[in-house]
Each structure stands twice: as structure tokens, then as C-alpha cells.
Amino acid sequence: MRPCQDVLTVQFPRDVLRSVLTDLPQNDSTTLDILKSVLTLLEASKRIWDELSSVLQDQQLCEILSISTEELGLLRLTAMPPTEELVKELCKPALLQKLLNVESLPVLWLVLRRLVLLSDRPETAIEIRALLPGVMENLLFANTAITVKVLNIFRNAMHHLGKRHASPFALELAEKILPLFNHASSEVREGSIRLFMDVMDAVLWSQKGSMKKTVRRALLPLLFHMSDETLSVAQVRISELSSVQAVVC
């Protein structure tokens, strides 16, 4: 199916892109997969990029997605190749928050992938920290691509924000991470465990008591999965288990 889809994208890029954003089920993982494949082709085709840019300037999308013209302009930026100038234009937390609330997996994925970029820079990670509680809610999605983006955003944020800014949401984040230890995707399993370690480091001493309860709940899943079929996951579990035991003790 993929070769046929690629041919259609190359021959009729506008139709495919409009279908992804307006006609296909917006909460279906297949719709998101099509968008991701389109963006892969976009890297090698200026024509596809021109069509995507045109579609994302269509004012009809404002009505379909229930967003403003300004929010649509920012959505267009999320699809553009990353540059220094783009980072400056993207860092508009209020507008990004509105886009995070749009009920569309393709839109959500576009926004999250640029939040990964913003969270990876100290100066912009601070500016978008108010978005993190909303971003956290997307860990509940069953879609692996969305979950991976969220995990990457929080790993970046934990690195740059420091305890003072990260501690307020650390306990809630730790609770949401635990079920991901047993996720079907090895990438999610490994990312969630590494993030859990970062979260433990981010908790202030005043919250250590509450954190220990969550940490104890993590011990058994980590112990049972030390023989994970994916070597990198098994290795990080062993490292994590040592850190977890240190916190509990």
C-alpha cells in the first residue's frame, strides 16, 4: 500500500494533504501515518512542500479545525524545516496551547514535534513550561508516535528546567509514566524508564516521601522486565533498578 500511497502523494499532493487534514478520521492512527509519509516525501520534493504550504494557508481549515487565522499560520510553521528563524517564530505558547487542544492526531503530532525542538533549547524550554501539563495528558493516547514525542519533550524539559520548575509536575508525571514500562513499543519502554529516572532526580526533598510511594510501585515492573527482549531496554532497566532501590532505601 505504501508505494501506491507515495505515487498518489507525488501526483496529487494537494488532494492527499487536504484529505489528511479534513476528510480522513482525525483520531485514526492511519491518518497520522499518511501525514508522516507525506512529510518524508516532502524532504525530497519542493512541489509537495509548496502544496502543503498552500493547503495550510487555506482559510477553510480555520473553520474545519476551529482555529483562528493566527493559529493556522503557526500550524503552517510546524510543518516547515527547522531553522534558527523558525524557532523564534514558533515560540508562542498561547497559540501553541490552542493548537494542542485541536482534536486531530495529525495536528497534534505536528505541534508536538516542534515542541521537541523548543524543549531542547534552554531559553525556549523555559518559555514553554506552562504547556507541559497539557502535553502530559497526551501520554494517555494509544498512538505510539504521539507517546514518543511526549516522552522526548519531557526528557528535554527535565534537563533544562531544573528542580524549581520541574518539581511541580514531577509526581503526576511519574504516575503517568509507570504503565508505559510495559508498552508494546521498545522505544516507548526505554524512553519511559529513562524519563522516570530524570523525574526522580527532579523531585524536591519536600516531596521525597510522596515520590517513594510511586518508586515502590515501579520496582516490580522493572524487576520482571530486566530480561527484556530489546537489549537497550534491558540495560536501562538494570541501571534504573539500582537508582530506584537507592531512593526507596
Side-chain angles (χ1 to χ4, degrees):
M1 173 165 175
R2 175 65 188 271
C4 179
Q5 176 186 303
D6 289 352
V7 170
L8 287 173
T9 301
V10 171
Q11 292 186 351
F12 310 103
R14 175 180 289 269
D15 295 325
V16 172
L17 290 164
R18 285 197 63 86
S19 293
V20 167
L21 293 170
T22 62
D23 301 327
L24 297 177
Q26 291 300 290
N27 288 317
D28 192 316
S29 293
T30 302
T31 305
L32 175 55
D33 290 340
I34 295 173
L35 174 66
K36 290 165 63 182
S37 68
V38 169
L39 291 180
T40 300
L41 291 174
L42 182 151
E43 296 174 0
S45 173
K46 183 179 183 302
R47 176 171 173 250
I48 295 177
W49 160 245
D50 289 340
E51 293 290 359
L52 175 60
S53 181
S54 176
V55 168
L56 290 175
Q57 293 180 76
D58 189 339
Q59 292 300 306
Q60 288 186 343
L61 279 180
C62 292
E63 182 177 350
I64 293 170
L65 299 175
S66 299
I67 59 177
S68 68
T69 300
E70 191 176 11
E71 290 155 9
L72 180 63
L74 191 64
L75 178 60
R76 177 177 172 272
L77 293 181
T78 65
M80 293 177 64
T83 63
E84 289 297 323
E85 187 60 33
L86 179 72
V87 170
K88 296 176 183 177
E89 294 185 56
L90 273 174
C91 199
K92 297 177 180 177
L95 295 181
L96 288 169
Q97 181 64 70
K98 293 288 184 63
L99 291 176
L100 283 171
N101 293 333
V102 174
E103 294 185 5
S104 164
L105 279 181
V107 171
L108 177 61
W109 185 82
L110 285 171
V111 176
L112 290 177
R113 80 178 192 139
R114 288 306 173 230
L115 285 178
V116 171
L117 178 66
L118 294 175
S119 65
D120 198 30
R121 295 166 175 244
E123 66 278 10
T124 48
I126 291 291
E127 291 191 50
I128 66 168
R129 66 183 185 275
L131 301 179
L132 295 179
V135 171
M136 191 191 307
E137 295 306 312
N138 292 297
L139 284 172
L140 302 177
F141 270 98
N143 184 276
T144 297
I146 295 295
T147 303
V148 168
K149 293 298 182 193
V150 174
L151 291 173
N152 289 338
I153 290 167
F154 275 100
R155 287 215 69 197
N156 291 341
M158 288 294 176
H159 179 69
H160 293 302
L161 292 183
K163 289 187 177 184
R164 184 166 67 90
H165 293 302
S167 193
F169 58 78
L171 289 175
E172 182 181 357
L173 180 59
E175 289 285 344
K176 291 185 181 297
I177 292 172
L178 288 180
L180 299 179
F181 288 3
N182 296 319
H183 198 278
S185 163
S186 62
E187 186 177 8
V188 171
R189 294 198 302 275
E190 181 175 350
S192 62
I193 296 167
R194 292 189 183 279
L195 178 56
F196 191 81
M197 185 183 299
D198 296 336
V199 170
M200 286 194 300
D201 291 338
V203 174
L204 296 172
W205 278 108
S206 61
Q207 297 176 304
K208 288 293 183 182
S210 299
M211 187 63 186
K212 280 188 176 183
K213 297 177 183 178
T214 303
V215 168
R216 289 191 182 99
R217 291 174 54 204
L219 276 171
L220 279 179
L222 289 170
L223 184 61
F224 285 140
H225 292 279
M226 284 175 64
S227 57
D228 196 287
E229 60 184 15
T230 304
L231 179 60
S232 61
V233 178
Q235 289 174 334
V236 75
R237 286 184 187 277
I238 294 170
S239 171
E240 179 79 348
L241 186 60
S242 300
S243 300
V244 167
Q245 287 174 325
V247 171
V248 173
C249 297

